[in-house]
Amino acid sequence: MKTIKYPDLTGIKDLLKRPLFENEIIKEKVLSIINEIKLNGDKALIEFTQKFDGIELDKLHVSEEEINEADKVIDSNLKNAIEVARKNIYKFHKSQVNTISKIEIEEGITCWRKDVPIQKVGLYIPGGSSPLFSTLLMLAIPAQIAGCDEIIICTPPQKNGNVAPSILFVAKLLGIKKIFKVGGTQAIAAMAFGTETIPKVDKIFGPGNQWVTAAKQIVNSFGVAIDMPAGPSEVLVIADDSANAKFVAADLLSQAEHGADSQVILISTSEKLITKVEDEVDILTNQLSRKMIIEQSLKNCVIILVNNLDEAITISNIYAPEHLILAVENHEILAEKVVNAGSVFLGNYSPESAGDYATGTNHTLPTNGFASTYSGVSLDSFMKKITFQKLTKSGLAKIAFAIEAMAEAEGLDAHKLAVTIRGKE
Amino acid sequence: MKTIKYPDLTGIKDLLKRPLFENEIIKEKVLSIINEIKLNGDKALIEFTQKFDGIELDKLHVSEEEINEADKVIDSNLKNAIEVARKNIYKFHKSQVNTISKIEIEEGITCWRKDVPIQKVGLYIPGGSSPLFSTLLMLAIPAQIAGCDEIIICTPPQKNGNVAPSILFVAKLLGIKKIFKVGGTQAIAAMAFGTETIPKVDKIFGPGNQWVTAAKQIVNSFGVAIDMPAGPSEVLVIADDSANAKFVAADLLSQAEHGADSQVILISTSEKLITKVEDEVDILTNQLSRKMIIEQSLKNCVIILVNNLDEAITISNIYAPEHLILAVENHEILAEKVVNAGSVFLGNYSPESAGDYATGTNHTLPTNGFASTYSGVSLDSFMKKITFQKLTKSGLAKIAFAIEAMAEAEGLDAHKLAVTIRGKE
């Protein structure tokens, strides 16, 4: 952990620069895998799964039997936990449904927008060492609320050739049956272009390692939509004297355990708190199973002592964190000043892990500074908005001169004609 | 024009395949221009403007004097026309403002989303032979409603070294003062990375030729957001016996005049109408100034005779047109069946050019089939949604077991700890 006291704000952008990921070499390899799958479909998928995962598959589609078996393995406490998350995620995303409101621009000119589901979506769920069944909840629930026609899941098989039971349990709970055992670049390529078994989709969602990320970028450049660009996960905590050092330490650690490249930042107005947090981080790290990863990622951790909370929020807005925790007394006021962030956690009892799993907000969020321009996944991510307009004869007559004059000024006389000819009839 | 009668729907996707644009060679050149601008800033911009546009500029920023001069050149009819468009675009986009609604997930757990403007946006407005001042209205008005901190315009100078007066008039009307005389790849690079004169922006909007499109794709891969991927403009008209052949012909022509690569499709249940439209197209083409372009693009025009309107809308949904005109008697019913389209025009008195200029809907729309996953530009394009959550101590306690169980099942024990530790306090 690196502590910086009262930095000059002009240099803050460089100070908090995220590591650049050079993935040109990966991209070439990814492209060759994609091409192989476009060419040889399922056969290539099975070969790559053997080559990369060391698993011999006879079929890619997860059988109903395997799904039913998974149900038996999951203990009832976890089932209840998942049900709580499902209910809350459903409630928050259901609240995002828009109703159509027709706007009468003038009498005879009515315009409106309609949310229409994207027809086919593919969800990539990492599932090797750590099966992210929570991500399946976060992606599938809004897809179902949106009303997507087809929802498919690709997830890598575990060492035993089966998909992680927790993922299958969630899929069953939600009634999703098209689950395919394929991971990494192969999965993204299969969903982007389709194979004999795996349907081509319109949009691909889900997190993954640098291979998955590179594959998503490449298929995106070929015209397949993706949820958002991805980078390592991040948290920025703003804390004042009212914060609890133990809580703050645990929040920093829960980000740090994601991976050695996780970004962890603490900004505080209190030197006393900073010292306490540092101590607590040391104490708590020793209790955690992912200690090795945590120690790696804490090397990049930056702690900044600032003069006041305005400075803190300014720095945060420059950094544009994926997760922002406001562990300050007047968190409601500070929250109003947030300009760039993925998801914000207010007060001492709103840890990031609550949003990661169960408050109902989506945990698929923009990283790497993309929070300044991109939103996290929401119901909107599974829909597109189509605009409509209906003009009556008299409605068109009212704006005819405007269209004609503007079309003429832009040198587009067929545009003008399309209006003029209707006036003559 | 190619007419196809009662095609088999299974082959329709190939039949309506859009031409593929191979821009790998362009991309290399674009990349070298971008690198030059990153390196040499304004100096490179001025050099490229001399090289590509043949114009010697001493400064890039449009002066207040030049803006005021433009005002004098625009006739009052066009000024009135622009005011009508401005008013309607404002009204429709203002109706898209969301209010925050806080969702009580459970007592003590409150979640909400907030729309926050993207801070800095750059608008690229083509302005060589045809200055698209209407596009400036379409982009700047929602940017202003969103409340973006900084709105800048890049637009190429005309032969005389000045920016087209119509563009300057609109900029003045809207109160935008940061206008820079630079076009093409150079403009996109300047806005993406910033130069001494031109500020770096977070998101770039606006149409352009294949150079501009390639530049937008490249800067997007470097992390600068863009409005959407772009291709040639398109219209698909569905018409039955109730349609007016003259109107349909004019609508097809108003798309065809955009460029030789414009995509124009007519689907009809009426063979009689098709014949009449073909005749009218021939007659009207001769009256139009862009006859040469129209004749080129009509070569790609496809006319399809179908058995019924269900077939017509199925084909349209497969094609996913940028603009869809429903020149049919029961257009309200057919509109309900639209799944993929950018903007839809209902009935005989809703020509595409009405939406292009003045109904209030946005004319920056997804082309090239992207309408199946992307929305057109709207107020949303200038905002991102940030999620917030606030839990009280008892609120967190209610879902603590769920977070703990799920974190444990995903092997993330610091996530679990962040909750457990709060319960103990």
Side-chain angles (χ1 to χ4, degrees), chain A residues 18 234 315-322 340-341 366-372:
Chain A
R18 294 159 172 97
E234 310 158 348
I315 295 172
S316 176
N317 283 330
I318 291 170
Y319 182 73
E322 181 191 13
N340 295 324
T367 52
N368 204 25
F370 286 112
S372 63

Side-chain angles (χ1 to χ4, degrees), chain A residues 26 45 77 90 103 136 140 255 272 277 333 420:
Chain A
I26 283 189
L45 288 179
N77 187 49
Y90 183 86
I103 308 298
L136 179 52
Q255 189 57 51
K272 210 169 98 189
V277 169
I333 293 167
T420 314

Side-chain angles (χ1 to χ4, degrees), chain A residues 114-172:
Chain A
K114 184 182 170 187
D115 288 347
V116 179
I118 294 170
Q119 293 181 280
K120 296 176 181 189
V121 298
L123 315 181
Y124 181 74
I125 309 296
S129 59
S130 188
L132 298 184
F133 61 88
S134 61
T135 301
L136 179 52
L137 289 163
M138 294 291 175
L139 298 177
I141 293 171
Q144 291 185 317
I145 296 171
C148 300
D149 276 350
E150 184 158 76
I151 302 170
I152 69 165
I153 298 168
C154 281
T155 185
Q158 297 185 300
K159 291 239 170 346
N160 62 3
N162 292 335
V163 167
S166 54
I167 291 176
L168 295 182
F169 172 75
V170 170
K172 192 182 176 186

Side-chain angles (χ1 to χ4, degrees), chain A residues 257 340 348 384 415 422, chain B residues 257 340 348 384 415 422:
Chain A
E257 76 174 339
N340 295 324
N348 286 331
K384 67 262 177 179
H415 281 65
R422 282 168 161 97
Chain B
E257 76 174 339
N340 296 323
N348 287 329
K384 67 261 177 179
H415 281 65
R422 282 169 163 94

Side-chain angles (χ1 to χ4, degrees), chain B residues 80-385:
Chain B
N80 293 337
I82 288 171
E83 178 52 26
V84 168
R86 190 203 62 74
K87 192 172 58 65
N88 292 354
I89 296 166
Y90 183 87
K91 187 166 181 178
F92 189 57
H93 289 79
K94 185 77 181 175
S95 78
Q96 295 165 12
V97 173
N98 292 312
T99 51
I100 296 174
S101 72
K102 295 195 176 186
I103 308 298
E104 188 176 65
I105 299 293
E106 290 198 57
E107 208 191 315
I109 306 173
T110 311
C111 299
W112 65 99
R113 293 198 299 171
K114 182 180 171 188
D115 289 347
V116 180
I118 293 171
Q119 293 181 281
K120 296 177 181 188
V121 299
L123 316 181
Y124 181 73
I125 309 296
S129 59
S130 187
L132 298 185
F133 61 88
S134 61
T135 301
L136 179 54
L137 289 163
M138 294 290 174
L139 299 177
I141 293 171
Q144 291 185 318
I145 296 171
C148 300
D149 275 351
E150 184 158 75
I151 302 169
I152 69 165
I153 298 168
C154 281
T155 184
Q158 298 186 298
K159 292 242 171 337
N160 63 4
N162 291 335
V163 168
S166 55
I167 291 176
L168 295 182
F169 172 76
V170 170
K172 192 182 175 186
L173 181 72
L174 301 177
I176 299 172
K177 287 178 179 170
K178 291 185 179 168
I179 312 162
F180 304 99
K181 292 181 196 185
V182 56
T185 297
Q186 306 93 272
I188 305 302
M191 292 193 280
F193 302 104
T195 69
E196 300 89 325
T197 306
I198 300 179
K200 174 185 169 21
V201 301
D202 301 313
K203 188 168 182 178
I204 297 173
F205 294 80
N209 60 19
Q210 51 186 345
W211 292 87
V212 170
T213 300
K216 280 171 69 182
Q217 285 173 334
I218 290 172
V219 302
N220 187 224
S221 74
F222 291 151
V224 179
I226 61 171
D227 48 359
M228 70 184 84
S233 194
E234 310 158 347
V235 74
L236 189 151
V237 181
I238 299 179
D240 64 11
D241 265 320
S242 76
N244 180 311
K246 273 200 175 77
F247 299 178
V248 173
D251 289 340
L252 298 178
L253 290 168
S254 71
Q255 189 58 51
E257 76 174 339
H258 272 298
D261 54 4
S262 289
Q263 306 288 304
V264 178
I265 297 168
L266 168 63
I267 307 178
S268 182
T269 48
S270 164
E271 194 156 9
K272 211 169 96 188
L273 180 88
I274 288 175
T275 310
K276 274 200 223 164
V277 169
E278 285 169 336
D279 291 346
E280 290 294 341
V281 163
D282 286 342
I283 296 165
L284 295 173
T285 300
N286 286 312
Q287 305 173 15
L288 296 166
S289 63
R290 294 166 80 99
K291 192 183 163 190
M292 302 262 287
I293 293 172
I294 290 170
E295 283 171 346
Q296 275 298 315
S297 77
L298 285 183
K299 283 182 190 161
N300 309 319
C301 173
V302 180
I303 299 177
I304 305 173
L305 178 65
V306 292
N307 293 299
N308 53 57
L309 289 176
D310 274 339
E311 272 185 30
I313 200 73
T314 300
I315 295 172
S316 176
N317 283 331
I318 291 170
Y319 182 73
E322 180 190 15
H323 305 97
L324 171 60
I325 299 177
L326 303 179
V328 301
E329 200 174 353
N330 295 316
H331 44 260
E332 301 273 1
I333 293 167
L334 203 60
E336 290 294 321
K337 298 178 182 171
V338 174
V339 170
N340 296 323
S343 194
V344 184
F345 300 78
L346 281 76
N348 287 329
Y349 290 92
S350 305
E352 186 204 308
S353 52
D356 286 343
Y357 291 110
T359 59
T361 62
N362 208 291
H363 78 197
T364 309
L365 295 165
T367 53
N368 204 24
F370 286 113
S372 62
T373 45
Y374 290 83
S375 313
V377 164
S378 72
L379 184 62
D380 310 342
S381 313
F382 298 89
M383 321 273 277
K384 67 261 177 179
K385 286 183 198 297

